[in-house]
Amino acid sequence: MDHPAPATLPDHLLAQARRRGAAIALRHKRLGIWQARRWRELANETTRLAGALATAGFGAGDALVLLTQPRPEALLLSLAAQWLGGVAVPLDPDQPDAALQALLRQLAPRHLFVEDETQWRRVSHDGYHLAIYGDARGLAGIAGWTAYAALDGGPAPAEPRARPTQPAFAFYRVQADGAIERQAIAHAELLQEGVRLVAAEGLTEHEEALAARAFAAGGQARYLLAPWLLAGFRLNFPESTATRDQDRRELGPTLVAGTRETWGRLADQVQQRLPLPGSLRRRLVDTALAPPRGWPGRLWHGIAGYWLVRRPLRDVLGLTRTRVPLLVGEPLTEPAARLLAQLGVTVRGWPDPAQWQGATGPAVHVTGWQAPDYGAALPQPG
């Protein structure tokens, strides 16, 4: 059976399930064990979630607000909302309480997902059409709230109802003066940027990527989520933000998409492991990291420097296999960029062309946002 060319995020999920249904699409670490999910399983779960959202009254133009660290449930709920023609609104779980409360008052969400009891305590507990929690510890049996695993409803539409020019995600932020701004990104824009990244970096289905940050920023959606759906590689979720460095070392991702803060933190970890300045060991390490001068320097910097200094430091960071280190948004500081480059990790910057607008209404029915004209069809990756 012929299907139209995929033009939205749920379309590409469905296309991957049809084309490579038995291939592993996603892995997440729970209780110290990596658990794998296949493309076919993700598509089936997304349609189940879409049915549950539809039964709760969620429809085209509605918004699903998510307050969570990176976890598969939030990703699949976002795709389910988009399947119905709605919008996913991820909020930064690490923002201060005052900013979060201001956003929640502005958004007045009807459909909400929280990660666990910690985030549940930061929101109001009634007035929702559907309120979902991910981690049942401390929340099981709370009146008016539904566990993610217990979501159920009628059948979802057989084909996604999203349209390319409709917003897929909306992101919100609170300025220093208290003003609230919104950035809405259409399916077409995400896929357009994703196709560009896949082509430029030669991404294939063999990549391993780590989702170590919440999808509460446009750069993560552009340069991690969209390329995942386009290229069909494996997306991995750490057990928690506290274990992400350990999980990265264990995983050895080939693709890492981070911000200035992410890469700066990794550069700081390298600095902390270097010997004391002025010591003999530090001079040897500096020689192994700096561009070689003369044949003794080239000899030490080459094979010996790689195996004794540069390779162990990359192992500590979990970047031994990383061939696509991406920087999303603001550039790195010069010292951090230089140190990472000396390790052989040449971080490549990709812009985050955010178009922030004043937020004048609640989260629901954001279809009034005008998307650019992306043309009749999007290019498809090789």
Side-chain angles (χ1 to χ4, degrees):
M1 177 181 177
D2 292 334
H3 299 280
T8 67
L9 301 185
D11 285 340
H12 278 278
L13 172 64
L14 201 54
Q16 291 288 357
R18 288 166 175 160
R19 184 168 58 248
R20 311 175 54 246
I24 294 176
L26 181 151
R27 296 195 301 172
H28 56 112
K29 199 174 188 183
R30 293 288 166 81
L31 301 177
I33 300 174
W34 288 101
Q35 303 180 31
R37 310 282 292 281
R38 303 182 186 279
W39 285 106
R40 185 180 302 114
E41 295 170 338
L42 295 191
N44 290 340
E45 184 163 348
T46 299
T47 55
R48 175 182 69 84
L49 296 171
L53 290 175
T55 299
F58 190 97
D62 285 342
L64 173 65
V65 175
L66 305 106
L67 183 61
T68 175
Q69 297 293 346
R71 58 188 298 154
E73 295 91 336
L75 171 59
L76 298 182
L77 278 168
S78 297
L79 290 168
Q82 294 159 2
W83 190 290
L84 298 173
V87 186
V89 183
L91 301 181
D92 181 0
D94 296 324
Q95 64 185 305
D97 283 343
L100 176 62
Q101 297 306 319
L103 286 178
L104 290 173
R105 287 192 297 270
Q106 173 75 36
L107 299 177
R110 300 178 187 175
H111 304 87
L112 175 69
F113 171 79
V114 298
E115 176 182 19
D116 54 18
E117 184 180 10
T118 299
Q119 302 300 347
W120 177 81
R121 293 185 180 281
R122 303 178 72 194
V123 304
S124 62
H125 299 148
D126 52 28
Y128 306 111
H129 291 183
L130 180 63
I132 312 161
Y133 59 85
D135 190 337
R137 288 175 293 185
L139 289 176
I142 298 292
W145 286 73
T146 304
Y148 174 92
L151 286 171
D152 196 12
E159 300 290 334
R161 290 181 174 172
R163 296 294 176 263
T165 55
Q166 290 178 335
F169 288 95
F171 303 98
Y172 288 79
R173 67 182 182 186
V174 180
Q175 298 285 66
D177 62 359
I180 295 176
E181 294 182 323
R182 182 180 75 198
Q183 174 194 176
I185 310 179
H187 291 268
E189 181 179 350
L190 290 175
L191 293 172
Q192 191 174 70
E193 294 294 324
V195 166
R196 193 161 66 93
L197 179 68
V198 168
E201 299 291 350
L203 301 182
T204 72
E205 70 272 17
H206 302 298
E207 310 298 341
E208 294 276 3
L210 182 67
R213 294 177 60 89
F215 289 103
Q220 296 291 307
R222 282 186 174 93
Y223 302 125
L224 192 57
L225 175 56
W228 169 63
L229 291 169
L230 286 160
F233 53 75
R234 288 173 294 278
L235 185 61
N236 300 271
F237 287 82
E239 184 139 9
S240 68
T241 54
T243 68
R244 60 188 171 185
D245 290 335
Q246 174 185 333
D247 295 340
R248 186 189 307 106
R249 288 192 293 270
E250 184 177 318
L251 176 67
T254 62
L255 187 158
V256 176
T259 62
R260 174 190 177 107
E261 290 72 23
T262 302
W263 291 109
R265 182 172 56 82
L266 294 179
D268 288 342
Q269 290 182 19
V270 174
Q271 286 285 3
Q272 293 168 9
R273 290 180 173 271
L274 297 180
L276 292 175
S279 65
L280 174 60
R281 291 181 60 207
R282 180 58 177 267
R283 288 197 293 272
L284 291 173
V285 168
D286 288 343
T287 302
L289 294 178
R293 295 180 181 178
W295 71 265
R298 286 195 296 271
L299 181 63
W300 169 242
H301 182 274
I303 297 175
Y306 174 77
W307 287 105
L308 296 178
V309 178
R310 299 196 301 278
R311 172 66 182 261
L313 287 174
R314 287 185 65 163
D315 284 343
V316 166
L317 300 180
L319 301 177
T320 303
R321 297 198 307 140
T322 302
R323 71 172 194 85
V324 187
L326 304 179
L327 171 66
V328 180
E330 297 181 10
L332 274 175
T333 63
E334 194 277 332
R338 182 177 64 251
L339 179 57
L340 290 169
Q342 288 172 340
L343 296 180
V345 182
T346 305
V347 181
R348 297 185 283 281
W350 283 78
D352 185 8
Q355 297 180 8
W356 292 96
Q357 304 171 357
T360 57
V364 295
H365 299 300
V366 297
T367 49
W369 178 79
Q370 296 298 312
D373 182 8
Y374 295 99
L378 286 170
Q380 301 299 313

